[in-house]
């Protein structure tokens, strides 16, 4: 079995970007404290308990997945804007876009008896026409529980982002992203990876917050998962990260539906929130 590089919590965006460029992924150890982990569990557990398991092998017949984390979980908002991770994402994707944006949010609980997920590249959500010269994603999996080989730690193939598309790994080329709760796996959209098999009696729970280029369609529709009536209470930086901003000179403008002469025409999304103030109950930064 291959090994995956680990970096300490006091690492730098430069070191993270270098590691992902070389290996396709890297683990940052112990980035969250126990209080943050406990709060995340409290915020997300009711939704996970109410959610049905997947209906196909890729989603996992014994795996639960929930979205809309920005709307549902104040602590997930802190993770999405974590200074180290968000800075590394912005830096890593900068050669391909003006700004990065939040691609999707999920909490994933891999249950006992779940099989290994098919190895895949996340960039496949846009089909096969996007050139490999453009890196599409900077992805994160935050460990809410310990990730072990036995409980379904994410499998990742270091270096496979540089392989020919059809090359398949041997068993000894696959690494298990084992990490303590509070650590985070960071990887790009081209590296082969997939959920692991859970042979234990315990769930393996992670929070997935992925970033992409501001000119690509997001996998999770942020404007439905976190509509304006909720987004108005968020920090402007987070709203912009979700896509409530122009993705270039004109990408993403809006006009107000309604009677002639009412509302705005061809306005930037920020104008919708001109009189909004962030929710005073927003937690401090991680």
């Amino acid at each position: 079995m291959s090994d995956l590089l680990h970096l300490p919590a006091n690492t730098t965006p430069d070191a993270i970007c270098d590691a992902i460029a070389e290996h396709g992924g890297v683990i940052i150890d112990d980035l969250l404290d126990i209080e943050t982990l406990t709060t995340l569990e409290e915020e997300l557990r009711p939704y996970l308990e109410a959610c049905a398991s997947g209906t196909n092998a890729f989603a996992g017949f014994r795996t639960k997945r929930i979205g809309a984390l920005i709307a549902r979980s104040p602590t997930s908002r802190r993770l999405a804007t974590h200074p180290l991770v968000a800075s590394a994402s912005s830096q890593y994707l900068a050669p391909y876009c003006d700004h990065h944006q939040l691609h999707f949010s999920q909490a994933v609980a891999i249950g006992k008896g779940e099989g290994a997920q098919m190895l895949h590249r996340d960039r496949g959500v846009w089909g096969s026409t996007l050139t490999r010269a453009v890196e599409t994603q900077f992805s994160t999996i935050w460990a809410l529980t310990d990730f072990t080989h036995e409980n379904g730690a994410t499998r990742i193939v270091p270096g496979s982002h540089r392989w020919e598309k059809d090359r398949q790994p041997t068993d000894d080329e696959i690494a298990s992203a084992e990490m303590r709760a509070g650590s985070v796996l960071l990887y790009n959209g081209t590296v082969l990876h997939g959920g692991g098999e859970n042979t234990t009696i315990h769930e393996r729970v992670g929070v997935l917050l992925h970033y992409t280029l501001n000119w690509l369609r997001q996998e999770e529709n942020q404007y439905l998962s976190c509509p304006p009536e909720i987004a108005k209470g968020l920090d402007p930086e987070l709203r912009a990260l979700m896509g409530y901003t122009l993705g270039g000179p004109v990408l993403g403008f809006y006009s107000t539906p309604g009677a002639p002469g009412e509302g705005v025409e061809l306005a930037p999304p920020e104008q919708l929130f001109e009189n909004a103030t962030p929710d005073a109950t927003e937690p401090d930064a991680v």
Side-chain angles (χ1 to χ4, degrees), residues 72-95:
R72 291 169 162 173
S73 167
T75 308
S76 293
R77 302 168 195 167
R78 297 163 56 194
L79 269 57
T81 55
H82 189 284
L84 175 64
V85 174
S87 294
S89 171
S90 179
Q91 181 175 324
Y92 187 75
L93 297 177

Side-chain angles (χ1 to χ4, degrees), residues 82-132:
H82 189 284
L84 175 64
V85 174
S87 294
S89 171
S90 179
Q91 181 175 324
Y92 187 75
L93 297 177
Y96 316 105
C97 62
D98 295 327
H99 306 285
H100 69 164
Q101 63 178 343
L102 188 65
H103 182 47
F104 83 83
S105 64
Q106 280 189 13
V108 178
I110 296 180
K112 62 180 181 179
E114 182 62 270
Q117 187 185 43
M118 177 185 71
L119 294 174
H120 60 282
R121 306 178 195 273
D122 282 346
R123 65 182 298 124
V125 298
W126 292 285
S128 59
T129 58
L130 191 60
T131 173
R132 289 277 291 272

Side-chain angles (χ1 to χ4, degrees), residues 210-269:
H210 296 354
Y211 307 85
T212 190
L213 317 179
N214 65 334
W215 50 269
L216 282 174
R217 176 67 183 266
Q218 294 147 298
E219 187 169 352
E220 179 183 30
N221 190 317
Q222 298 298 324
Y223 322 109
L224 296 179
S225 290
C226 189
E229 57 266 29
I230 297 176
K232 69 181 181 181
L234 303 180
D235 183 86
E237 177 189 0
L238 178 57
R239 282 202 303 261
L241 184 65
M242 295 169 62
Y244 282 105
T245 189
L246 290 178
V250 295
L251 288 177
F253 68 79
Y254 81 103
S255 298
T256 308
E262 293 184 357
V264 299
E265 298 290 351
L266 313 185

